[in-house]
Amino acid sequence: MADKHVIVEQLVKTYPGSGAPSVDHVDFDLEKGEMLALLGPSGCGKTTILRMVAGLITPTSGRIRLDGRDMAEIPVHKRNMGMVFQSYALFPHMSVAENVAFGLEMRGVPKAERAARVERALDLVKLRGYGERRITQLSGGQQQRCAIARSLVIEPQLLLLDEPLSNLDAKLRDEMREEIRDIQARTGVTAIFVTHDQDEALSMADRLAVMSAGRIEQIGTPRQIFDRPATEFVANFIGAGNFLTGTVVEPHQANVPGLGMVVFGLDAPLGKDVRLLVRPHRFTLNGKGENAFEGVVRHLVYRGDTLTLDVDVKDRTFLVDLPTHAGTLPERGDRVTLTVARDDVTVIGTAA
Amino acid sequence: MTTSDRKGNRGILLLLLLPGLLALGVSFVAPLLWLLRASFSTSALGGADGSWTLANYADVVLDPFYWRVAGNTLNYGLTVAAFAVVLSYPIALFLARTTSRWRGVLTALAIAPLLTSGVVRTYGWMVILGDQGVINGTLQALSLIQTPIRLSNNFLGATIAMIEILMPYAILAMLSGFGRLNTQLEEAAAMLGANRLKVFWRIILPLSLPGVITAALLVFVLAISGFVTPRLMGGGRVFVLGTEVFQEATVTLNLPLAAALAMLLLVLFSSVIVIYRRALRALEA
Ligand SMILES: Nc1ncnc2c1ncn2[C@@H]1O[C@H](COP(=O)(O)OP(=O)(O)OP(=O)(O)O)[C@@H](O)[C@H]1O
Ligand SMILES: [Mg+2]
């Protein structure tokens, strides 16, 4: 634990004049070279955490340590962290190269070396030859890459990114995801990445922390978060799901009122009420699973790769995603049997 | 949008501009033209008598006194502008950056002096700076000085009063020109290793320069065209173009000469505005 690169302990922030804390006893840590995504709905405290780590605001309580060093007494300009702001915050009165060189200049790097490092940083983000441009002469994506180059050129111990992709259109966003991931892999920089886009978090981060109302609900790898959500909030926030409440009556079996027995793969204590989760794409149609539910297709939406169905099973409706290449597809009004393997039924709150 | 649409729009635009253009034409352009004509005439009738002459300009150009007055005016404008800008800058910067909920009130307070006329405030300064004024009275009562220090009826007094009178304009002009200031840029600079001083020099100052330049221009123009304050605070010992135009027009009753002097002032204005536009463009490039 003590040799982790970044350690955040019991971090709390209560803004003056607001009753409830915006960040409430948050703990997490990062290995060197790791990328952590902070994910959560608007207003859950992601930016606040990032700004405390950066030193732009003071925590109400709690500790932030970088390489074992307590950051509390270290002012922003001495923390050696890079930050990419949502609005990029590029200096409008400087050229692209001057923006990138700024951090090196503040560190007293000699001019010749500065030029060489700026050149390399611009290469890294594919902005070679744009050094003399004004900031206003760059497209949104180019501005963003300039901001990344500016924060990387100082070789920060930690890179902080606050929704850096939210101002970009969908296509550019996809490209930039790859690019940021690629740059991070090549430079080996440790990074904390704020987003409220689940795809972004799942595809970019080594681990993600899902937040709600100032607290971390769950922290883990994308797989852990997706397949073994700790809370219903997490299950709901990351991907869609079908939720069932039942009582465990036998090992790996729960009685769900109005549906019957459901078999699941994980251990759960007998006699307890549990919440079960089935992801829509884990169902198969008319297959042979342990859990078979008969129902009627009420509604369907064709989405290219997948067909999304609403299937009425007794008095509840299941959301089902089927791959469109899987043989004949059902029509509205068809009677179907949904099956799902026990390992695809998750008990919420069971640690992986 | 089709061409005919755009033509229609232009028609509406012209129509909307018409009242303003008329008002400006009647109250500004026409008198200015009349003044221009008057400066080339021999009589107070503004050329209604059909006379044409360059004598007024010759009088101005050939008289070393008017050269001194022009120099004085320039000196006065620059001094007032420099001090008003330097003194207003911290106030404007504070008002632009504060997140206090008193910000609106404080801004109103800063420009509240505009609610009283410059004449009244000039009299106020006479009370403060006069030989028997607050400052000299206090210093004498404390036996720090024997004879009063000359703080009024001279260039110093006229300058001090004018600086204070024009500061609200400077603050307003700066606030309108601080649009590029942005705390996130300051945070970005700090993250990159800039301490408070460096953040000021490299980020805040350059980004606030357009506001500073606009304020300097405004104060300068208002100062060199000022008449009341230099006249009252100068006690007849401060000669600037404003006081001389007044002198020629109402005391000496040499209206053509006054018109020529006013034209000189106008030329001074225009050249300053040209410089200002160049400076702004250089900043933005
Ligand atoms: N300067 C501030 N003063 C008072 N309250 C604040 C301040 N900044 C943020 N908050 C409050 O703290 C909470 C968390 O804000 P924060 O900006 O960290 O959210 P976020 O997770 O980044 O949201 P978003 O996704 O919308 O950016 C919010 O309820 C917000 O209203
Ligand atoms: Mg935020």
Side-chain angles (χ1 to χ4, degrees), chain A residues 236-256:
Chain A
N236 250 322
F237 196 76
I238 307 275
N242 297 288
F243 297 92
L244 304 167
T245 309
T247 315
V248 183
V249 290
E250 270 182 66
H252 307 292
Q253 272 197 44
N255 182 17
V256 178

Side-chain angles (χ1 to χ4, degrees), chain A residues 280-289 320-322 337-341:
Chain A
H281 63 278
R282 297 288 164 87
F283 284 110
T284 46
L285 206 60
N286 305 325
K288 286 181 195 51
V320 179
D321 282 337
L322 294 176
T337 306
L338 299 172
T339 51
V340 56

Side-chain angles (χ1 to χ4, degrees), chain A residues 216-233:
Chain A
I216 292 186
E217 292 269 325
Q218 187 178 7
I219 185 160
T221 63
R223 258 212 102 142
Q224 287 169 339
I225 301 275
F226 192 78
D227 287 344
R228 299 279 176 263
T231 64
E232 198 164 331
F233 175 85

Side-chain angles (χ1 to χ4, degrees), chain A residues 51 54 56 76-77 81-83 85 87 89-94 102-103 105-107 134 150 154 160, chain B residues 180 182 184-196 198-199 202-204 206-207 283-285:
Chain A
R51 291 172 64 79
L56 295 169
V76 189
H77 67 278
M81 295 177 185
M83 177 105 139
F85 294 84
S87 55
L90 294 168
F91 307 132
H93 56 303
M94 299 182 197
F102 188 84
E105 211 183 319
M106 293 302 120
R107 283 165 176 70
R134 312 292 309 179
R150 187 178 68 173
I154 58 171
L160 306 169
Chain B
R180 291 209 296 176
N182 168 350
Q184 195 149 86
L185 296 180
E186 298 168 31
E187 290 178 351
M191 292 291 306
L192 291 166
N195 59 25
R196 307 277 303 236
K198 291 233 177 73
V199 170
R202 296 295 309 275
I203 309 296
I204 298 177
L207 290 178
L283 272 183
E284 267 151 28

